[in-house]
Amino acid sequence: STISRHASAMSVANVLEDMVAKVESKDLHTQICGIRGDVALSEKRIHSAESSINSNSSDIKKSNEKLADTLARVSAIETKIALHDQRLQSHSQELAVLRQKIETEQSARKAADSL
């Protein structure tokens, strides 16, 4: 009788241990699934961030290309302005020479008229 109670108690203990093990196993499985879900979500966020970085990098590259193009056009315009400045200075010098010639001729005519 004592042996059968002891055997029955052992059987109950084994059943309880099995139940605890299953609960712990399910709890661990639930935790693992939760962690896997967190990892998957993190991977999606990382992928999204990488896509955003790549997009921004592409936008920056395009902006840099546009800026380089604009700077090249500005440089070309500055060169044209410098050439126009040189021409204006040359014309100003030519005009000064012509003005001097006209003034010299006018003075000569006045001198001739007064004779």
Side-chain angles (χ1 to χ4, degrees):
S1 168
T2 305
I3 294 175
S4 71
R5 275 192 256 158
H6 182 66
S8 178
M10 289 296 287
S11 175
V12 169
N14 286 339
V15 169
L16 288 174
E17 282 182 19
D18 285 347
M19 289 175 70
V20 168
K22 286 179 183 177
V23 168
E24 287 177 348
S25 176
K26 284 183 182 180
D27 187 46
L28 187 59
H29 178 71
T30 301
Q31 289 178 5
I32 289 171
C33 286
I35 290 169
R36 285 182 180 154
D38 291 345
V39 168
L41 183 60
S42 294
E43 287 174 344
K44 286 180 183 178
R45 287 181 179 159
I46 288 169
H47 180 70
S48 176
E50 286 173 343
S51 295
S52 180
I53 288 168
N54 289 339
S55 176
N56 289 342
S57 177
S58 176
D59 290 347
I60 289 170
K61 184 178 177 184
K62 288 176 187 175
S63 293
N64 285 344
E65 289 170 357
K66 286 181 182 178
L67 182 59
D69 182 54
T70 301
L71 289 174
R73 285 188 281 157
V74 166
S75 179
I77 291 169
E78 288 173 339
T79 301
K80 287 180 182 178
I81 289 171
L83 288 174
H84 285 297
D85 270 353
Q86 289 175 350
R87 287 183 192 147
L88 283 174
Q89 288 176 356
S90 175
H91 289 309
S92 290
Q93 290 170 352
E94 290 172 11
L95 286 173
V97 168
L98 288 175
R99 183 176 291 123
Q100 187 63 41
K101 284 181 182 178
I102 290 170
E103 289 174 358
T104 303
E105 278 185 37
Q106 286 176 343
S107 294
R109 282 185 187 167
K110 283 183 184 177
D113 288 346
S114 64
L115 294 176

